[in-house]
Amino acid sequence: MAPLPISRMAVREHPFSYVGLDYFGPVEVVVGRRREKRWIALFTCMTVRAVHLELVYSLTTQSCEMAIRRFVKRRGSPVEIFSDNGTNFVGASRDLAEQIRSINSECADTFTGARTKWTFNPPSAPHMGGVWERMVRSVKEAMAVFAHGERLTDEILQTTLIEAESLINSRPLTYVSTNVQEDKEALTPNHFLRSCSLVDCMPSRNSIELADRLRSSYNQAQYLAEELWRRWQREYLPMMNRRTKWFDERTTVAIGDLVYVADSERRKSWERGVVEEVLAGNDGRIRSAMVRTSTGMKKRAVAKLAVLEIGG
């Protein structure tokens, strides 16, 4: 297994600095006497595992851009966005790249994609997006609890999304102790978003003098933020870095290998091709390749390539 990428270990970075983006749906809503389809754009923080949900009205580049714009205005501009190689995401990335070239550096920080890098997974490799695919499953389960199978309107669906988002962001990331009185409560994504874990954070009832608040509130806030990140490094990071499979080195693809491109479940429909270029990750291991087939060049993950043993 590869070491964790920088996006998973961005200590002391603002939440949603590194974002995984995915769509799921459609969800049918009632508008007057007709039914229409809606989709949900899921943004997940790669570091603290928080989620942000946006309602999307169509699978177009424009709808994707507006969802990203709403996200940025609420959560801040991300450093890097990771997504599957969907048509709508590719279109949004192209428009953002054109925007970056057209504006000068002084105004860049006020626009969505001025400082944002967009990284795509290879086609037909959903396992490379497991970070956000797992969150999609969790959100679907939470929505099933809140919806109760009733006919949805846009208003009900929007409320359900907010409820599901709050529930997912209140889940524990670390060990939950049975001794509530003595041990600290488990870290949750909401600790980094709103400095508490509960859905409705109650204000402190302790009476503090105004002079004391003015003198120490900033230092206290800084101390609490540092304490959260110290706990994140001490309690959560070691859990993420466990190696549960792929311990041994395996023979990988090389330039010139004859391969089958496993794009479907039926082996008879697999295309044959020749590896023209291998693409290595930051750890030096080959994780995807460019394959020349009868229908053109294709980029595929190594997991989707079956090497033909035809050596002499």
Side-chain angles (χ1 to χ4, degrees):
M1 293 184 70
L4 288 172
I6 296 175
S7 58
R8 299 296 306 279
M9 301 184 294
V11 181
R12 294 176 180 82
E13 292 282 353
H14 191 275
F16 294 105
S17 292
Y18 295 89
V19 174
L21 172 60
D22 198 12
Y23 271 27
F24 66 93
V27 179
E28 281 196 348
V29 298
V30 177
V31 181
R33 295 185 177 181
R34 66 182 187 278
R35 291 180 175 270
E36 294 185 1
K37 292 181 179 180
R38 301 287 186 260
W39 287 263
I40 293 93
L42 181 143
F43 301 81
T44 181
C45 176
M46 306 283 281
T47 304
V48 302
R49 310 302 287 119
V51 298
H52 176 96
L53 304 176
E54 287 288 345
L55 187 61
V56 181
Y57 287 75
S58 65
L59 287 179
T60 62
T61 297
Q62 291 74 22
S63 290
C64 179
E65 289 174 341
M66 286 189 285
I68 296 171
R69 192 68 177 175
R70 294 193 299 271
F71 164 77
V72 167
K73 290 304 178 181
R74 291 179 177 177
R75 303 296 187 180
S77 182
V79 176
E80 190 169 5
I81 297 176
F82 300 85
S83 72
D84 296 328
N85 210 338
T87 304
N88 49 341
F89 298 144
V90 172
S93 179
R94 182 173 59 248
D95 288 350
L96 292 177
E98 293 175 356
Q99 182 186 38
I100 293 171
R101 289 193 295 267
S102 65
I103 58 179
N104 58 43
S105 58
E106 294 179 356
C107 298
D109 291 336
T110 64
F111 290 86
T112 301
R115 298 295 185 215
T116 299
K117 177 184 177 182
W118 200 310
T119 301
F120 296 107
N121 288 338
S124 303
H127 65 283
M128 290 189 173
V131 175
W132 52 83
E133 296 290 354
R134 184 61 184 88
M135 291 294 97
V136 168
R137 176 182 172 184
S138 297
V139 172
K140 286 181 177 179
E141 292 174 351
M143 289 180 62
V145 172
F146 290 117
H148 300 295
E150 61 192 33
R151 297 177 64 186
L152 296 176
T153 63
D154 280 325
E155 188 175 20
I156 294 175
L157 178 57
Q158 184 68 53
T159 303
T160 302
L161 288 180
I162 300 301
E163 293 278 3
E165 176 185 302
S166 182
L167 178 64
I168 297 299
N169 288 338
S170 298
R171 76 191 188 282
L173 298 175
T174 58
Y175 172 73
V176 180
S177 175
T178 56
N179 192 342
V180 181
Q181 296 180 348
E182 295 183 4
D183 295 338
K184 296 179 181 179
E185 62 178 343
L187 282 178
T188 69
N190 270 338
H191 274 104
F192 300 90
L193 297 178
R194 58 175 73 170
S195 299
C196 66
S197 63
L198 300 177
V199 175
D200 295 315
C201 301
M202 298 300 294
S204 175
R205 296 183 179 181
N206 297 331
S207 177
I208 304 176
E209 294 296 331
L210 177 60
D212 293 335
R213 291 203 303 267
L214 294 176
R215 184 166 54 248
S216 63
S217 59
Y218 175 76
N219 292 333
Q220 180 70 8
Q222 293 299 307
Y223 170 79
L224 292 176
E226 283 294 319
E227 179 63 20
L228 286 178
W229 282 114
R230 279 194 291 267
R231 289 191 59 195
W232 183 89
Q233 290 179 278
R234 185 173 61 250
E235 300 175 25
Y236 181 58
L237 187 58
M239 296 171 57
M240 288 197 303
N241 209 27
R242 292 174 181 170
R243 300 293 192 268
T244 58
K245 55 184 177 179
W246 305 327
F247 298 106
D248 302 325
E249 293 287 347
R250 301 290 181 88
T251 303
T252 185
V253 298
I255 296 176
D257 281 350
L258 187 62
V259 298
Y260 275 118
V261 181
D263 276 346
S264 65
E265 296 182 358
R266 298 180 57 190
R267 293 190 179 185
K268 292 183 179 180
S269 63
W270 289 358
E271 280 188 295
R272 281 195 304 177
V274 178
V275 176
E276 294 287 338
E277 181 183 1
V278 293
L279 306 174
N282 293 331
D283 58 351
R285 289 178 171 82
I286 298 171
R287 306 198 178 279
S288 57
M290 299 297 298
V291 181
R292 175 169 50 83
T293 68
S294 59
T295 57
M297 295 291 293
K298 294 184 177 181
K299 180 182 179 182
R300 291 295 183 270
V302 171
K304 292 293 182 179
L305 300 178
V307 181
L308 294 176
E309 301 291 343
I310 58 175

